PDB file of all heavy atoms in Angstrom:
ATOM      1  N   MET A   7      -8.984   6.872  -6.477  1.00 70.00           N
ATOM      2  CA  MET A   7      -8.702   5.605  -5.789  1.00 70.00           C
ATOM      3  C   MET A   7      -9.997   4.821  -5.621  1.00 70.00           C
ATOM      4  O   MET A   7     -10.995   5.367  -5.170  1.00 70.00           O
ATOM      5  CB  MET A   7      -8.074   5.869  -4.422  1.00 70.00           C
ATOM      6  CG  MET A   7      -7.770   4.597  -3.628  1.00 70.00           C
ATOM      7  SD  MET A   7      -7.203   4.946  -1.961  1.00 70.00           S
ATOM      8  CE  MET A   7      -5.687   5.812  -2.304  1.00 70.00           C
ATOM      9  N   SER A   8      -9.959   3.543  -5.984  1.00 78.00           N
ATOM     10  CA  SER A   8     -11.138   2.692  -5.844  1.00 78.00           C
ATOM     11  C   SER A   8     -11.187   2.072  -4.449  1.00 78.00           C
ATOM     12  O   SER A   8     -10.203   2.120  -3.690  1.00 78.00           O
ATOM     13  CB  SER A   8     -11.103   1.579  -6.886  1.00 78.00           C
ATOM     14  OG  SER A   8     -10.054   0.659  -6.603  1.00 78.00           O
ATOM     15  N   LEU A   9     -12.339   1.487  -4.109  1.00 85.00           N
ATOM     16  CA  LEU A   9     -12.488   0.824  -2.816  1.00 85.00           C
ATOM     17  C   LEU A   9     -11.505  -0.331  -2.693  1.00 85.00           C
ATOM     18  O   LEU A   9     -10.880  -0.519  -1.638  1.00 85.00           O
ATOM     19  CB  LEU A   9     -13.927   0.318  -2.660  1.00 85.00           C
ATOM     20  CG  LEU A   9     -14.224  -0.500  -1.396  1.00 85.00           C
ATOM     21  CD1 LEU A   9     -13.929   0.306  -0.141  1.00 85.00           C
ATOM     22  CD2 LEU A   9     -15.679  -0.976  -1.407  1.00 85.00           C
ATOM     23  N   LEU A  10     -11.347  -1.111  -3.764  1.00 83.00           N
ATOM     24  CA  LEU A  10     -10.429  -2.251  -3.737  1.00 83.00           C
ATOM     25  C   LEU A  10      -8.999  -1.792  -3.490  1.00 83.00           C
ATOM     26  O   LEU A  10      -8.268  -2.405  -2.704  1.00 83.00           O
ATOM     27  CB  LEU A  10     -10.510  -3.024  -5.056  1.00 83.00           C
ATOM     28  CG  LEU A  10      -9.549  -4.215  -5.195  1.00 83.00           C
ATOM     29  CD1 LEU A  10      -9.810  -5.237  -4.098  1.00 83.00           C
ATOM     30  CD2 LEU A  10      -9.681  -4.852  -6.573  1.00 83.00           C
ATOM     31  N   GLN A  11      -8.598  -0.698  -4.143  1.00 79.00           N
ATOM     32  CA  GLN A  11      -7.243  -0.177  -3.946  1.00 79.00           C
ATOM     33  C   GLN A  11      -7.041   0.298  -2.513  1.00 79.00           C
ATOM     34  O   GLN A  11      -5.975   0.078  -1.923  1.00 79.00           O
ATOM     35  CB  GLN A  11      -6.984   0.954  -4.937  1.00 79.00           C
ATOM     36  CG  GLN A  11      -6.829   0.477  -6.378  1.00 79.00           C
ATOM     37  CD  GLN A  11      -6.838   1.616  -7.377  1.00 79.00           C
ATOM     38  OE1 GLN A  11      -7.388   2.686  -7.118  1.00 79.00           O
ATOM     39  NE2 GLN A  11      -6.228   1.401  -8.526  1.00 79.00           N
ATOM     40  N   ALA A  12      -8.059   0.926  -1.929  1.00 82.00           N
ATOM     41  CA  ALA A  12      -7.959   1.389  -0.544  1.00 82.00           C
ATOM     42  C   ALA A  12      -7.806   0.209   0.413  1.00 82.00           C
ATOM     43  O   ALA A  12      -7.003   0.254   1.360  1.00 82.00           O
ATOM     44  CB  ALA A  12      -9.197   2.211  -0.175  1.00 82.00           C
ATOM     45  N   ILE A  13      -8.568  -0.865   0.172  1.00 88.00           N
ATOM     46  CA  ILE A  13      -8.481  -2.062   1.014  1.00 88.00           C
ATOM     47  C   ILE A  13      -7.110  -2.720   0.870  1.00 88.00           C
ATOM     48  O   ILE A  13      -6.495  -3.132   1.865  1.00 88.00           O
ATOM     49  CB  ILE A  13      -9.605  -3.059   0.662  1.00 88.00           C
ATOM     50  CG1 ILE A  13     -10.968  -2.483   1.052  1.00 88.00           C
ATOM     51  CG2 ILE A  13      -9.376  -4.405   1.366  1.00 88.00           C
ATOM     52  CD1 ILE A  13     -12.145  -3.322   0.603  1.00 88.00           C
ATOM     53  N   LEU A  14      -6.637  -2.815  -0.371  1.00 84.00           N
ATOM     54  CA  LEU A  14      -5.317  -3.410  -0.608  1.00 84.00           C
ATOM     55  C   LEU A  14      -4.221  -2.612   0.090  1.00 84.00           C
ATOM     56  O   LEU A  14      -3.305  -3.185   0.680  1.00 84.00           O
ATOM     57  CB  LEU A  14      -5.039  -3.492  -2.105  1.00 84.00           C
ATOM     58  CG  LEU A  14      -5.813  -4.570  -2.878  1.00 84.00           C
ATOM     59  CD1 LEU A  14      -5.536  -4.458  -4.373  1.00 84.00           C
ATOM     60  CD2 LEU A  14      -5.437  -5.967  -2.368  1.00 84.00           C
ATOM     61  N   MET A  15      -4.326  -1.283   0.043  1.00 82.00           N
ATOM     62  CA  MET A  15      -3.333  -0.455   0.719  1.00 82.00           C
ATOM     63  C   MET A  15      -3.427  -0.606   2.236  1.00 82.00           C
ATOM     64  O   MET A  15      -2.417  -0.575   2.939  1.00 82.00           O
ATOM     65  CB  MET A  15      -3.484   0.999   0.288  1.00 82.00           C
ATOM     66  CG  MET A  15      -3.072   1.239  -1.161  1.00 82.00           C
ATOM     67  SD  MET A  15      -3.233   2.950  -1.698  1.00 82.00           S
ATOM     68  CE  MET A  15      -1.883   3.719  -0.818  1.00 82.00           C
ATOM     69  N   GLY A  16      -4.655  -0.789   2.736  1.00 84.00           N
ATOM     70  CA  GLY A  16      -4.822  -1.054   4.166  1.00 84.00           C
ATOM     71  C   GLY A  16      -4.191  -2.377   4.563  1.00 84.00           C
ATOM     72  O   GLY A  16      -3.549  -2.491   5.619  1.00 84.00           O
ATOM     73  N   LEU A  17      -4.353  -3.398   3.713  1.00 87.00           N
ATOM     74  CA  LEU A  17      -3.725  -4.701   3.952  1.00 87.00           C
ATOM     75  C   LEU A  17      -2.209  -4.577   3.944  1.00 87.00           C
ATOM     76  O   LEU A  17      -1.515  -5.116   4.824  1.00 87.00           O
ATOM     77  CB  LEU A  17      -4.174  -5.700   2.882  1.00 87.00           C
ATOM     78  CG  LEU A  17      -5.585  -6.273   3.010  1.00 87.00           C
ATOM     79  CD1 LEU A  17      -5.966  -7.025   1.742  1.00 87.00           C
ATOM     80  CD2 LEU A  17      -5.673  -7.198   4.226  1.00 87.00           C
ATOM     81  N   ILE A  18      -1.695  -3.854   2.955  1.00 82.00           N
ATOM     82  CA  ILE A  18      -0.243  -3.674   2.850  1.00 82.00           C
ATOM     83  C   ILE A  18       0.291  -2.962   4.090  1.00 82.00           C
ATOM     84  O   ILE A  18       1.303  -3.356   4.672  1.00 82.00           O
ATOM     85  CB  ILE A  18       0.112  -2.876   1.577  1.00 82.00           C
ATOM     86  CG1 ILE A  18      -0.202  -3.706   0.327  1.00 82.00           C
ATOM     87  CG2 ILE A  18       1.591  -2.479   1.583  1.00 82.00           C
ATOM     88  CD1 ILE A  18      -0.113  -2.921  -0.961  1.00 82.00           C
ATOM     89  N   GLN A  19      -0.416  -1.893   4.510  1.00 80.00           N
ATOM     90  CA  GLN A  19       0.016  -1.143   5.686  1.00 80.00           C
ATOM     91  C   GLN A  19      -0.017  -2.015   6.938  1.00 80.00           C
ATOM     92  O   GLN A  19       0.932  -2.031   7.725  1.00 80.00           O
ATOM     93  CB  GLN A  19      -0.880   0.081   5.874  1.00 80.00           C
ATOM     94  CG  GLN A  19      -0.653   0.841   7.181  1.00 80.00           C
ATOM     95  CD  GLN A  19       0.703   1.489   7.240  1.00 80.00           C
ATOM     96  OE1 GLN A  19       1.313   1.737   6.217  1.00 80.00           O
ATOM     97  NE2 GLN A  19       1.182   1.763   8.449  1.00 80.00           N
ATOM     98  N   GLY A  20      -1.118  -2.729   7.141  1.00 85.00           N
ATOM     99  CA  GLY A  20      -1.251  -3.549   8.337  1.00 85.00           C
ATOM    100  C   GLY A  20      -0.204  -4.640   8.416  1.00 85.00           C
ATOM    101  O   GLY A  20       0.326  -4.936   9.486  1.00 85.00           O
ATOM    102  N   ILE A  21       0.116  -5.244   7.274  1.00 84.00           N
ATOM    103  CA  ILE A  21       1.111  -6.319   7.247  1.00 84.00           C
ATOM    104  C   ILE A  21       2.527  -5.773   7.388  1.00 84.00           C
ATOM    105  O   ILE A  21       3.331  -6.276   8.174  1.00 84.00           O
ATOM    106  CB  ILE A  21       0.995  -7.138   5.940  1.00 84.00           C
ATOM    107  CG1 ILE A  21      -0.327  -7.901   5.909  1.00 84.00           C
ATOM    108  CG2 ILE A  21       2.167  -8.106   5.796  1.00 84.00           C
ATOM    109  CD1 ILE A  21      -0.638  -8.543   4.580  1.00 84.00           C
ATOM    110  N   THR A  22       2.824  -4.713   6.641  1.00 78.00           N
ATOM    111  CA  THR A  22       4.225  -4.258   6.554  1.00 78.00           C
ATOM    112  C   THR A  22       4.639  -3.261   7.626  1.00 78.00           C
ATOM    113  O   THR A  22       5.826  -3.029   7.821  1.00 78.00           O
ATOM    114  CB  THR A  22       4.487  -3.628   5.169  1.00 78.00           C
ATOM    115  OG1 THR A  22       3.581  -2.525   4.970  1.00 78.00           O
ATOM    116  CG2 THR A  22       4.272  -4.651   4.066  1.00 78.00           C
ATOM    117  N   GLU A  23       3.681  -2.651   8.350  1.00 77.00           N
ATOM    118  CA  GLU A  23       4.056  -1.719   9.413  1.00 77.00           C
ATOM    119  C   GLU A  23       4.756  -2.448  10.554  1.00 77.00           C
ATOM    120  O   GLU A  23       5.730  -1.954  11.122  1.00 77.00           O
ATOM    121  CB  GLU A  23       2.822  -0.992   9.952  1.00 77.00           C
ATOM    122  CG  GLU A  23       3.092  -0.121  11.179  1.00 77.00           C
ATOM    123  CD  GLU A  23       4.006   1.066  10.897  1.00 77.00           C
ATOM    124  OE1 GLU A  23       4.164   1.441   9.725  1.00 77.00           O
ATOM    125  OE2 GLU A  23       4.566   1.609  11.856  1.00 77.00           O
ATOM    126  N   PHE A  24       4.279  -3.631  10.888  1.00 79.00           N
ATOM    127  CA  PHE A  24       4.824  -4.343  12.035  1.00 79.00           C
ATOM    128  C   PHE A  24       5.776  -5.467  11.636  1.00 79.00           C
ATOM    129  O   PHE A  24       6.699  -5.786  12.372  1.00 79.00           O
ATOM    130  CB  PHE A  24       3.688  -4.866  12.910  1.00 79.00           C
ATOM    131  CG  PHE A  24       2.806  -3.766  13.417  1.00 79.00           C
ATOM    132  CD1 PHE A  24       1.482  -3.670  13.043  1.00 79.00           C
ATOM    133  CD2 PHE A  24       3.311  -2.784  14.252  1.00 79.00           C
ATOM    134  CE1 PHE A  24       0.673  -2.643  13.489  1.00 79.00           C
ATOM    135  CE2 PHE A  24       2.527  -1.746  14.714  1.00 79.00           C
ATOM    136  CZ  PHE A  24       1.193  -1.679  14.329  1.00 79.00           C
ATOM    137  N   LEU A  25       5.532  -6.072  10.494  1.00 82.00           N
ATOM    138  CA  LEU A  25       6.539  -6.985   9.969  1.00 82.00           C
ATOM    139  C   LEU A  25       7.634  -6.105   9.359  1.00 82.00           C
ATOM    140  O   LEU A  25       7.326  -5.103   8.705  1.00 82.00           O
ATOM    141  CB  LEU A  25       5.933  -7.925   8.927  1.00 82.00           C
ATOM    142  CG  LEU A  25       4.800  -8.825   9.425  1.00 82.00           C
ATOM    143  CD1 LEU A  25       4.359  -9.760   8.299  1.00 82.00           C
ATOM    144  CD2 LEU A  25       5.217  -9.623  10.648  1.00 82.00           C
ATOM    145  N   PRO A  26       8.902  -6.433   9.563  1.00 81.00           N
ATOM    146  CA  PRO A  26       9.991  -5.498   9.232  1.00 81.00           C
ATOM    147  C   PRO A  26      10.341  -5.433   7.748  1.00 81.00           C
ATOM    148  O   PRO A  26      11.457  -5.774   7.341  1.00 81.00           O
ATOM    149  CB  PRO A  26      11.154  -6.063  10.051  1.00 81.00           C
ATOM    150  CG  PRO A  26      10.896  -7.536  10.080  1.00 81.00           C
ATOM    151  CD  PRO A  26       9.399  -7.676  10.186  1.00 81.00           C
ATOM    152  N   VAL A  27       9.374  -4.998   6.928  1.00 79.00           N
ATOM    153  CA  VAL A  27       9.630  -4.932   5.493  1.00 79.00           C
ATOM    154  C   VAL A  27       9.288  -3.564   4.906  1.00 79.00           C
ATOM    155  O   VAL A  27       9.267  -3.397   3.698  1.00 79.00           O
ATOM    156  CB  VAL A  27       8.837  -6.034   4.756  1.00 79.00           C
ATOM    157  CG1 VAL A  27       9.367  -7.410   5.110  1.00 79.00           C
ATOM    158  CG2 VAL A  27       7.342  -5.937   5.063  1.00 79.00           C
ATOM    159  N   SER A  28       9.026  -2.581   5.761  1.00 73.00           N
ATOM    160  CA  SER A  28       8.771  -1.195   5.383  1.00 73.00           C
ATOM    161  C   SER A  28       7.413  -0.974   4.744  1.00 73.00           C
ATOM    162  O   SER A  28       7.195  -1.256   3.566  1.00 73.00           O
ATOM    163  CB  SER A  28       9.851  -0.645   4.447  1.00 73.00           C
ATOM    164  OG  SER A  28       9.516   0.680   4.047  1.00 73.00           O
ATOM    165  N   SER A  29       6.500  -0.426   5.538  1.00 69.00           N
ATOM    166  CA  SER A  29       5.170  -0.098   5.017  1.00 69.00           C
ATOM    167  C   SER A  29       5.249   1.024   3.993  1.00 69.00           C
ATOM    168  O   SER A  29       4.607   0.961   2.939  1.00 69.00           O
ATOM    169  CB  SER A  29       4.246   0.317   6.171  1.00 69.00           C
ATOM    170  OG  SER A  29       4.767   1.456   6.843  1.00 69.00           O
ATOM    171  N   SER A  30       6.052   2.059   4.269  1.00 67.00           N
ATOM    172  CA  SER A  30       6.141   3.196   3.346  1.00 67.00           C
ATOM    173  C   SER A  30       6.718   2.765   2.008  1.00 67.00           C
ATOM    174  O   SER A  30       6.284   3.229   0.947  1.00 67.00           O
ATOM    175  CB  SER A  30       6.994   4.319   3.954  1.00 67.00           C
ATOM    176  OG  SER A  30       8.298   3.855   4.252  1.00 67.00           O
ATOM    177  N   GLY A  31       7.703   1.852   2.035  1.00 68.00           N
ATOM    178  CA  GLY A  31       8.302   1.375   0.794  1.00 68.00           C
ATOM    179  C   GLY A  31       7.303   0.610  -0.052  1.00 68.00           C
ATOM    180  O   GLY A  31       7.185   0.828  -1.259  1.00 68.00           O
ATOM    181  N   HIS A  32       6.534  -0.286   0.573  1.00 70.00           N
ATOM    182  CA  HIS A  32       5.551  -1.076  -0.168  1.00 70.00           C
ATOM    183  C   HIS A  32       4.387  -0.212  -0.653  1.00 70.00           C
ATOM    184  O   HIS A  32       3.874  -0.411  -1.758  1.00 70.00           O
ATOM    185  CB  HIS A  32       5.037  -2.226   0.699  1.00 70.00           C
ATOM    186  CG  HIS A  32       5.986  -3.380   0.795  1.00 70.00           C
ATOM    187  ND1 HIS A  32       7.140  -3.322   1.546  1.00 70.00           N
ATOM    188  CD2 HIS A  32       5.981  -4.606   0.207  1.00 70.00           C
ATOM    189  CE1 HIS A  32       7.786  -4.472   1.430  1.00 70.00           C
ATOM    190  NE2 HIS A  32       7.103  -5.261   0.633  1.00 70.00           N
ATOM    191  N   LEU A  33       3.970   0.745   0.177  1.00 67.00           N
ATOM    192  CA  LEU A  33       2.905   1.645  -0.248  1.00 67.00           C
ATOM    193  C   LEU A  33       3.362   2.496  -1.438  1.00 67.00           C
ATOM    194  O   LEU A  33       2.585   2.744  -2.366  1.00 67.00           O
ATOM    195  CB  LEU A  33       2.480   2.554   0.914  1.00 67.00           C
ATOM    196  CG  LEU A  33       1.663   1.885   2.025  1.00 67.00           C
ATOM    197  CD1 LEU A  33       1.460   2.844   3.182  1.00 67.00           C
ATOM    198  CD2 LEU A  33       0.315   1.407   1.497  1.00 67.00           C
ATOM    199  N   SER A  34       4.616   2.932  -1.406  1.00 68.00           N
ATOM    200  CA  SER A  34       5.158   3.723  -2.517  1.00 68.00           C
ATOM    201  C   SER A  34       5.169   2.904  -3.803  1.00 68.00           C
ATOM    202  O   SER A  34       4.780   3.389  -4.869  1.00 68.00           O
ATOM    203  CB  SER A  34       6.580   4.201  -2.186  1.00 68.00           C
ATOM    204  OG  SER A  34       6.575   5.103  -1.115  1.00 68.00           O
ATOM    205  N   LEU A  35       5.625   1.651  -3.693  1.00 69.00           N
ATOM    206  CA  LEU A  35       5.666   0.787  -4.870  1.00 69.00           C
ATOM    207  C   LEU A  35       4.257   0.559  -5.418  1.00 69.00           C
ATOM    208  O   LEU A  35       4.023   0.576  -6.628  1.00 69.00           O
ATOM    209  CB  LEU A  35       6.325  -0.556  -4.521  1.00 69.00           C
ATOM    210  CG  LEU A  35       7.808  -0.507  -4.138  1.00 69.00           C
ATOM    211  CD1 LEU A  35       8.289  -1.889  -3.710  1.00 69.00           C
ATOM    212  CD2 LEU A  35       8.651   0.007  -5.302  1.00 69.00           C
ATOM    213  N   PHE A  36       3.286   0.345  -4.509  1.00 70.00           N
ATOM    214  CA  PHE A  36       1.896   0.122  -4.921  1.00 70.00           C
ATOM    215  C   PHE A  36       1.323   1.373  -5.585  1.00 70.00           C
ATOM    216  O   PHE A  36       0.647   1.301  -6.619  1.00 70.00           O
ATOM    217  CB  PHE A  36       1.056  -0.258  -3.698  1.00 70.00           C
ATOM    218  CG  PHE A  36      -0.372  -0.616  -4.030  1.00 70.00           C
ATOM    219  CD1 PHE A  36      -0.707  -1.907  -4.401  1.00 70.00           C
ATOM    220  CD2 PHE A  36      -1.375   0.334  -3.963  1.00 70.00           C
ATOM    221  CE1 PHE A  36      -2.021  -2.247  -4.706  1.00 70.00           C
ATOM    222  CE2 PHE A  36      -2.690   0.019  -4.265  1.00 70.00           C
ATOM    223  CZ  PHE A  36      -3.013  -1.282  -4.637  1.00 70.00           C
ATOM    224  N   GLN A  37       1.592   2.540  -4.981  1.00 67.00           N
ATOM    225  CA  GLN A  37       1.073   3.794  -5.528  1.00 67.00           C
ATOM    226  C   GLN A  37       1.656   4.086  -6.906  1.00 67.00           C
ATOM    227  O   GLN A  37       0.955   4.536  -7.808  1.00 67.00           O
ATOM    228  CB  GLN A  37       1.381   4.937  -4.563  1.00 67.00           C
ATOM    229  CG  GLN A  37       0.539   4.884  -3.287  1.00 67.00           C
ATOM    230  CD  GLN A  37       1.053   5.821  -2.215  1.00 67.00           C
ATOM    231  OE1 GLN A  37       2.115   6.418  -2.345  1.00 67.00           O
ATOM    232  NE2 GLN A  37       0.301   5.961  -1.145  1.00 67.00           N
ATOM    233  N   ILE A  38       2.963   3.822  -7.059  1.00 67.00           N
ATOM    234  CA  ILE A  38       3.610   4.046  -8.354  1.00 67.00           C
ATOM    235  C   ILE A  38       3.043   3.086  -9.402  1.00 67.00           C
ATOM    236  O   ILE A  38       2.743   3.466 -10.536  1.00 67.00           O
ATOM    237  CB  ILE A  38       5.138   3.884  -8.234  1.00 67.00           C
ATOM    238  CG1 ILE A  38       5.719   5.022  -7.383  1.00 67.00           C
ATOM    239  CG2 ILE A  38       5.798   3.875  -9.614  1.00 67.00           C
ATOM    240  CD1 ILE A  38       7.178   4.821  -7.005  1.00 67.00           C
ATOM    241  N   ALA A  39       2.881   1.820  -9.012  1.00 68.00           N
ATOM    242  CA  ALA A  39       2.398   0.801  -9.955  1.00 68.00           C
ATOM    243  C   ALA A  39       0.988   1.098 -10.455  1.00 68.00           C
ATOM    244  O   ALA A  39       0.656   0.845 -11.613  1.00 68.00           O
ATOM    245  CB  ALA A  39       2.449  -0.576  -9.299  1.00 68.00           C
ATOM    246  N   PHE A  40       0.134   1.671  -9.574  1.00 67.00           N
ATOM    247  CA  PHE A  40      -1.259   1.922  -9.946  1.00 67.00           C
ATOM    248  C   PHE A  40      -1.559   3.398 -10.173  1.00 67.00           C
ATOM    249  O   PHE A  40      -2.717   3.792 -10.261  1.00 67.00           O
ATOM    250  CB  PHE A  40      -2.195   1.350  -8.873  1.00 67.00           C
ATOM    251  CG  PHE A  40      -2.244  -0.149  -8.858  1.00 67.00           C
ATOM    252  CD1 PHE A  40      -1.373  -0.873  -8.050  1.00 67.00           C
ATOM    253  CD2 PHE A  40      -3.129  -0.844  -9.660  1.00 67.00           C
ATOM    254  CE1 PHE A  40      -1.400  -2.263  -8.035  1.00 67.00           C
ATOM    255  CE2 PHE A  40      -3.165  -2.228  -9.654  1.00 67.00           C
ATOM    256  CZ  PHE A  40      -2.294  -2.941  -8.844  1.00 67.00           C
ATOM    257  N   GLY A  41      -0.492   4.220 -10.226  1.00 64.00           N
ATOM    258  CA  GLY A  41      -0.686   5.638 -10.508  1.00 64.00           C
ATOM    259  C   GLY A  41      -1.449   6.371  -9.434  1.00 64.00           C
ATOM    260  O   GLY A  41      -2.289   7.222  -9.723  1.00 64.00           O
ATOM    261  N   LEU A  42      -1.159   6.058  -8.153  1.00 60.00           N
ATOM    262  CA  LEU A  42      -1.891   6.670  -7.045  1.00 60.00           C
ATOM    263  C   LEU A  42      -1.032   7.655  -6.254  1.00 60.00           C
ATOM    264  O   LEU A  42      -1.259   7.887  -5.075  1.00 60.00           O
ATOM    265  CB  LEU A  42      -2.406   5.580  -6.088  1.00 60.00           C
ATOM    266  CG  LEU A  42      -3.379   4.571  -6.694  1.00 60.00           C
ATOM    267  CD1 LEU A  42      -3.687   3.471  -5.693  1.00 60.00           C
ATOM    268  CD2 LEU A  42      -4.657   5.269  -7.126  1.00 60.00           C
ATOM    269  N   GLU A  43      -0.037   8.245  -6.911  1.00 54.00           N
ATOM    270  CA  GLU A  43       0.849   9.155  -6.202  1.00 54.00           C
ATOM    271  C   GLU A  43       0.082  10.323  -5.566  1.00 54.00           C
ATOM    272  O   GLU A  43       0.514  10.894  -4.568  1.00 54.00           O
ATOM    273  CB  GLU A  43       1.920   9.729  -7.158  1.00 54.00           C
ATOM    274  CG  GLU A  43       2.946   8.705  -7.612  1.00 54.00           C
ATOM    275  CD  GLU A  43       2.541   8.015  -8.911  1.00 54.00           C
ATOM    276  OE1 GLU A  43       1.328   8.002  -9.204  1.00 54.00           O
ATOM    277  OE2 GLU A  43       3.419   7.518  -9.621  1.00 54.00           O
ATOM    278  N   GLU A  44      -1.076  10.659  -6.166  1.00 50.00           N
ATOM    279  CA  GLU A  44      -1.818  11.810  -5.662  1.00 50.00           C
ATOM    280  C   GLU A  44      -2.429  11.572  -4.293  1.00 50.00           C
ATOM    281  O   GLU A  44      -2.889  12.489  -3.648  1.00 50.00           O
ATOM    282  CB  GLU A  44      -2.934  12.206  -6.656  1.00 50.00           C
ATOM    283  CG  GLU A  44      -4.105  11.236  -6.734  1.00 50.00           C
ATOM    284  CD  GLU A  44      -3.845  10.082  -7.694  1.00 50.00           C
ATOM    285  OE1 GLU A  44      -2.714   9.987  -8.208  1.00 50.00           O
ATOM    286  OE2 GLU A  44      -4.773   9.281  -7.930  1.00 50.00           O
TER     287      GLU A  44
END
């Protein structure tokens, strides 16, 4: 995982955890798209 990917995932988590759009769902989609399942 690169620094940029970590920051992007932090942004996704911060936005989607409290806005009702599912943080886990968006993180899963991001991880699958960039091969970060590990």
Side-chain angles (χ1 to χ4, degrees):
M7 179 186 297
S8 69
L9 175 59
L10 177 60
Q11 289 169 335
I13 293 173
L14 286 175
M15 290 180 72
L17 284 169
I18 292 170
Q19 172 66 22
I21 293 170
T22 58
E23 173 66 19
F24 301 115
L25 300 183
V27 292
S28 177
S29 60
S30 59
H32 282 74
L33 287 173
S34 294
L35 294 175
F36 185 86
Q37 289 167 352
I38 292 170
F40 289 91
L42 299 174
E43 290 91 337
E44 71 275 6

